[in-house]
Amino acid sequence: MRRPIIAGNWKMNKTPSETIKLISELKPLVAGANAQVVVCPTSVCLFAAKGAAEGSNIAIGAQNVFFEDAGAYTGEISCDSLLELGVEFVIIGHSERRQYFAETDETVNKKVLKALQKGLKPIICVGEHLKEKEHGITNEIVRMQTKLALEGVLANDIENIVIAYEPVWAIGTGLTATSQEANNTIREIRKAVGELYGERAEDIRIQYGGSMNAGNASELMGMSDIDGGLIGGASLKAADFAKVVNY
Ligand SMILES: O=C[C@H](O)COP(=O)(O)O
């Protein structure tokens, strides 16, 4: 049985003091949640986030990490630094990083391998662009991204990985895949994982992301293969995010 995981990707929003405020508001609202709850603030807010979440059921995730241990990589952040701050999860390969920061399937794979080696749990983002959807190649795109991201990953690590299916056209647009569409694509992703790892694919948690909110969370979460959500806009207010978490 896969435990649902609802993660808030705050993107480049909230300062350290705002981070503390939002987590403090969130704590009592999600205390009884069945789902695993994660918030992913910006890197400079992680320390504040960890402190604010102390004693609660809220885990902390980062939005990015680099694939080398240390060295001359100006501006990058290591797994060791994240771990020392008490970070448990790390989003890897978000479409915004692929679009604006030249993230590729190859760098995604290197980051996934390094994160796992160090003991961080990757949330790997995959998803098609609108043009790809219109060409009817959604499954090909997500299968390719999934298999390339997992190259070299050992079967034992599968339970430490989360995949987020985020159709790029649905991110921040108010458009969502229908629950059936999202479920079908997520099933296809699980099938691709199964081609690499056999029945271990049943252990991997696969989230939906893309304009998921209080209004559509319960329908999406009711689908057979959707194990959680990666929430952007609706994670920035405690009451909104709590409604998704308690879907
Ligand atoms: O990581 C989160 C996704 O990009 C979804 O963002 P959104 O909920 O604002 O559409």
Side-chain angles (χ1 to χ4, degrees):
M1 188 62 192
R2 301 181 297 265
R3 185 179 179 204
I5 173 166
I6 308 280
N9 175 10
W10 293 2
K11 308 192 178 184
M12 200 178 72
N13 294 293
K14 306 293 176 190
T15 63
S17 61
E18 290 167 345
T19 295
I20 294 169
K21 183 168 179 282
L22 178 48
I23 292 179
S24 306
E25 290 167 358
L26 198 56
K27 273 161 81 163
L29 302 180
V30 301
N34 289 323
Q36 185 168 23
V37 186
V38 185
V39 297
C40 306
T42 66
S43 296
V44 292
C45 294
L46 290 169
F47 181 76
K50 185 64 187 169
E54 208 56 58
S56 77
N57 58 336
I58 301 173
I60 306 298
Q63 298 175 17
N64 185 29
V65 73
F66 196 51
F67 51 75
E68 295 291 353
D69 286 339
Y73 304 104
T74 302
E76 291 297 328
I77 294 161
S78 69
C79 290
D80 286 339
S81 291
L82 295 181
L83 288 163
E84 205 173 303
L85 292 178
V87 169
E88 192 178 336
F89 292 88
V90 58
I91 299 171
I92 296 178
H94 191 282
S95 62
E96 287 149 17
R97 294 219 53 91
R98 294 179 192 252
Q99 180 178 353
Y100 302 121
F101 303 102
E103 193 84 271
T104 65
D105 289 324
E106 190 187 342
T107 58
V108 168
N109 175 244
K110 286 181 171 179
K111 290 179 179 192
V112 168
L113 292 174
K114 181 54 72 176
L116 289 169
Q117 180 204 330
K118 291 287 186 173
L120 285 166
K121 296 175 183 151
I123 299 176
I124 305 169
C125 300
V126 300
E128 83 285 4
H129 286 267
L130 184 58
K131 193 177 275 273
E132 293 160 343
K133 175 183 162 63
E134 288 168 351
H135 279 295
I137 56 171
T138 295
N139 289 349
E140 285 92 329
I141 296 294
V142 297
R143 285 172 57 82
M144 179 187 72
Q145 290 176 337
T146 301
K147 287 194 170 185
L148 291 175
L150 295 177
E151 205 174 338
V153 170
L154 301 174
N156 283 347
D157 271 325
I158 281 299
E159 63 194 32
N160 295 320
I161 291 177
V162 177
I163 295 179
Y165 166 54
E166 300 206 311
V168 180
W169 50 269
I171 295 176
T173 58
L175 302 170
T176 36
T178 65
S179 50
Q180 195 56 58
E181 267 175 343
N183 199 56
N184 289 346
T185 306
I186 286 176
R187 191 175 293 143
E188 199 61 34
I189 294 169
R190 197 178 304 285
K191 204 168 118 199
V193 176
E195 288 162 16
L196 298 173
Y197 301 101
E199 61 190 27
R200 296 305 273 269
E202 291 306 312
D203 299 333
I204 199 164
R205 293 182 292 177
I206 309 182
Q207 301 170 309
Y208 170 77
S211 299
M212 189 165 164
N213 56 40
N216 56 26
S218 72
E219 185 182 332
L220 286 160
M221 292 301 294
M223 303 305 289
S224 60
D225 276 72
I226 301 181
D227 305 318
L230 185 56
I231 321 298
S235 69
L236 296 173
K237 287 192 181 145
D240 293 351
F241 188 54
K243 282 187 198 138
V244 179
V245 167
N246 300 311
Y247 56 92

